[in-house]
Amino acid sequence: MDVVLEGIAFGESPRWHDRRLWVSDWGRGRVVSLAPGGTATIEAEVASFPLCIDFTPDGRLLLVSSADGALLRRERDGTLVPQADLSTHATTPWNDIVVDGRGNAYINNIGFDFPEGEPRPGFVVLATPDGGVTRVADDLQFPNGMAITADGTTLVVAESYAEQLTAYDIADDGTLAGRRVWAATPGDHPDGICIDATGAVWYADVGNGHCRRVKEGGEVLDTVGFGRGAFSCTLSREGDPTLCVVGQDFNTPEDAPPSGIVAGFPAPASGAGFP
């Protein structure tokens, strides 16, 4: 394990973009990028927890501001503007986002006020580039990380409470159908996910402190230990294949120093698909 960044308050939503690794620090309400030499740059600041990110096909940063139920877009001059209003669909926390090659954004909502609220099913909405928002999937048991296959035809959603990865076919209009179990993950509660060039999925697991690579059907191909809660992961797109994992110790005292890190592991294959 090669630690590339320390001192993160609550790290999530890693993305590989423009030859750099991007990470959202929910604890500080900021998004940072890491240059190849390790220099960190603050790219945006939004006071929201969660604060997941992805990118439009033309390279603009999208941020899910769960605090005010908005999908924000960073313009070329660095200003943040609203792209879609999510607030009319739910007041419960908005979580992960993945954007396909057409600019359609899939955003999930966990469906209840975590951690105090009684667990209820979550859902996924489709936010189109023109600002439209439509619910396209329901009855997900704590929807978490999401990824889209390289051909743009399949959305995979991590259902943390169901201990499984769930897949949908993506129609030409962006709607979802053909729900099925892509892989069962017994004993694991998959959080953030990514797809590699072989079509396998890596998922992070907080409670077990590891990341696992699985084939469709559930065969476990690889496991890497993280030594603390693994919240999400992504794969490099250039150079030697690297699995980038972000996470921190969980349920620590409020006055404990930040334990969040970003670390890299050699991987069998580079990233593919979206994000």
Side-chain angles (χ1 to χ4, degrees):
M1 183 173 75
D2 180 22
V3 177
V4 296
L5 184 65
E6 298 180 285
I8 296 174
F10 196 106
E12 259 278 11
S13 199
R15 300 289 187 261
W16 191 270
H17 174 72
D18 194 24
R19 302 182 66 85
R20 287 177 291 167
L21 177 66
W22 299 59
V23 175
S24 182
D25 188 342
W26 294 3
R28 293 191 173 95
R30 64 177 54 162
V31 177
V32 300
S33 69
L34 295 174
T39 302
T41 300
I42 298 174
E43 300 285 355
E45 294 186 280
V46 176
S48 177
F49 190 111
L51 179 62
C52 285
I53 63 169
D54 204 5
F55 295 87
T56 64
D58 65 3
R60 286 177 291 176
L61 176 67
L62 291 179
L63 308 94
V64 181
S65 178
S66 182
D68 54 8
L71 177 62
L72 306 177
R73 184 181 69 247
R74 190 183 69 165
E75 300 291 63
R76 303 298 184 190
D77 62 1
T79 59
L80 296 176
V81 300
Q83 172 148 319
D85 181 10
L86 308 174
S87 64
T88 60
H89 289 263
T91 57
T92 45
W94 294 94
N95 197 16
D96 202 27
I97 176 175
V98 60
V99 183
D100 70 11
R102 299 175 292 182
N104 287 331
Y106 295 88
I107 306 164
N108 61 39
N109 187 290
I110 67 173
F112 68 100
D113 291 319
F114 178 82
E116 292 85 6
E118 179 183 352
R120 297 180 183 277
F123 59 91
V124 177
V125 299
L126 165 65
T128 53
D130 62 4
V133 180
T134 305
R135 190 182 293 212
V136 290
D138 288 293
D139 298 321
L140 291 158
Q141 305 306 309
F142 205 121
N144 228 316
M146 298 190 294
I148 295 173
T149 54
D151 62 7
T153 64
T154 305
L155 173 72
V156 181
V157 183
E159 284 193 84
S160 295
Y161 283 5
E163 299 184 3
Q164 67 186 30
L165 303 176
T166 299
Y168 296 88
D169 298 323
I170 301 175
D172 289 343
D173 63 358
T175 56
L176 304 177
R179 177 173 177 162
R180 59 197 180 276
V181 176
W182 194 90
T185 64
D188 279 357
H189 300 83
D191 197 323
I193 68 173
C194 60
I195 297 175
D196 74 13
T198 74
V201 170
W202 281 97
Y203 66 81
D205 182 277
V206 176
N208 290 307
H210 63 215
C211 289
R212 278 196 165 143
R213 179 174 174 249
V214 294
K215 290 175 61 176
E216 184 173 7
E219 180 185 351
V220 177
L221 302 175
D222 296 283
T223 302
V224 296
F226 191 56
R228 66 195 71 198
F231 280 74
S232 193
C233 56
T234 195
L235 286 156
S236 63
R237 302 298 178 105
E238 297 91 19
D240 294 334
T242 302
L243 179 72
C244 304
V245 184
V246 61
Q248 45 273 320
D249 295 327
F250 198 50
N251 290 329
T252 56
E254 290 187 5
D255 58 354
S259 64
I261 64 169
V262 179
F265 299 84
S270 298
F274 308 89

